[in-house]
Amino acid sequence: MTTDAPRVEGRAGREPGRPGRAGEDPRAAGGRRTRRRILGAQPFGILLSAPYLIFVIVVFAYPVVFAVWMAFHDFFFAAPGADVDTPFVGFDNFVTVINDPAVWRSFGNVGIFLIINVPLTVVLSIVLANALNKVVHARTFFRVSYYVPYVTASVAVVAVWLFLFSGGGLVNTVLGPLAPQPSWLVNSALAMPTIAFFVTWKGLGFYILLYLAALQNVPKELYESVSVDGGGRLRQFFSVTVPGVRPATLLVVLLATITGANLFTEPYLLTGGGGPNGASASPVLLIYQKGIEQGNPDVAAAIGVILILFVLIIAAIQRRFVGGEER
């Protein structure tokens, strides 16, 4: 003869494993869990982050969406309040962009820039940050010295570089007969590398600070362990420092890539708008010229969409190989 086992209830009359409060409607408990998943454990945090979220939507998200819309329409700037037709043209603007040799050259130019700028930025910033981290005397002075160019207005710094790298500038005077002809910024082969060195030098202080912050989290015991095993400073650098700041390296690579892909001020000021003959023109400079100067914002928007895809692809590749994603 069998008897039914009594049902065991959980604390406060709940069944074991059943979420919610005692006597609570399961639908109400489910709604509360859904709100928790959407709003998070601390919904008040959304209120605190709302100003920045609005800033991102207004300054970044909306312009990107509007640019994508423009790229698929026949769009031009009109007087405020004017009602003009903007018919859908499909991929016509993209076809125009793809058939434009200037666009291809601008992407090639920025590719050359990134090949020079990104590795140079990573190597110099991590080496200098490691050196500054070991400095005992005048540490603040050296850190500020590297950071000053980053916070200095580009227009002021560009004037110095124009003085240094012009035809009769200080660099050519020092080099004498070894100076390139034509000079640096008017030489189609040297204009973009010169700009890459300038941007690397100007932004180095920011990336050094990122690495200095990352170095504070590298355990000192690891250096001591390598030292006990007979490893010198070089081995400590490659065995402890480089792996220890790998997340910072990924961040530096991504930021340098995004900054380089948005290159505008430097070629605009240093080479007079992408000269000589478009050898230093960047996609963003071309967007400005076609959208503002030539009155073709729809074509400019198409270039912008292609540039976004280009940066996303490069960033994904960098994340895969530099970030070392866990499998």
Side-chain angles (χ1 to χ4, degrees), residues 188-243:
S188 59
L190 297 177
M192 185 55 74
T194 304
I195 293 174
F197 284 115
F198 169 78
V199 175
T200 301
W201 167 78
K202 189 177 187 305
L204 204 58
F206 173 72
Y207 300 111
I208 288 175
L209 287 183
L210 292 181
Y211 274 119
L212 282 173
L215 285 171
Q216 309 312 309
N217 296 322
V218 180
K220 306 299 182 184
E221 294 79 7
L222 297 179
Y223 292 101
E224 297 174 359
S225 177
V226 174
S227 179
V228 169
D229 291 340
R233 292 184 178 274
L234 194 61
R235 184 181 173 187
Q236 291 177 9
F237 178 77
F238 285 103
S239 299
V240 179
T241 303
V242 174

Side-chain angles (χ1 to χ4, degrees), residues 66-291:
F66 187 56
V68 173
W69 180 88
M70 287 172 55
F72 289 95
H73 291 77
D74 182 12
F75 184 88
F76 60 92
F77 295 122
D83 186 13
V84 296
D85 293 332
T86 54
F88 178 78
V89 295
F91 290 93
D92 288 355
N93 292 323
F94 292 94
V95 173
T96 302
V97 168
I98 293 174
N99 291 329
D100 189 348
V103 175
W104 287 98
R105 187 170 189 181
S106 69
F107 276 91
N109 292 338
V110 83
I112 295 173
F113 175 89
L114 293 176
I115 290 174
I116 298 173
N117 171 257
V118 175
L120 199 60
T121 296
V122 172
V123 172
L124 289 178
S125 55
I126 190 174
V127 170
L128 292 173
N130 186 61
L132 289 174
N133 196 47
K134 300 180 183 300
V135 170
V136 177
H137 303 289
R139 176 181 298 182
T140 303
F141 169 77
F142 286 112
R143 292 183 179 183
V144 172
S145 299
Y146 281 108
Y147 196 70
V148 166
Y150 177 74
V151 297
T152 304
S154 296
V155 176
V157 182
V158 161
V160 176
W161 274 68
L162 286 174
F163 167 75
L164 293 174
F165 289 93
S166 61
L170 181 62
V171 174
N172 285 352
T173 302
V174 172
L175 292 177
L178 299 178
Q181 294 295 334
S183 190
W184 305 89
L185 294 172
V186 293
N187 190 315
S188 59
L190 297 177
M192 185 55 74
T194 304
I195 293 174
F197 284 115
F198 169 78
V199 175
T200 301
W201 167 78
K202 189 177 187 305
L204 204 58
F206 173 72
Y207 300 111
I208 288 175
L209 287 183
L210 292 181
Y211 274 119
L212 282 173
L215 285 171
Q216 309 312 309
N217 296 322
V218 180
K220 306 299 182 184
E221 294 79 7
L222 297 179
Y223 292 101
E224 297 174 359
S225 177
V226 174
S227 179
V228 169
D229 291 340
R233 292 184 178 274
L234 194 61
R235 184 181 173 187
Q236 291 177 9
F237 178 77
F238 285 103
S239 299
V240 179
T241 303
V242 174
V245 297
R246 192 168 188 175
T249 299
L250 176 60
L251 178 61
V252 169
V253 169
L254 291 177
L255 289 177
T257 300
I258 295 172
T259 302
N262 287 277
L263 189 68
F264 173 80
T265 305
E266 289 76 13
Y268 184 79
L269 295 176
L270 284 172
T271 62
N277 298 323
S280 63
S282 65
V284 175
L285 180 61
L286 209 60
I287 290 172
Y288 168 77
Q289 292 173 342
K290 290 189 176 295

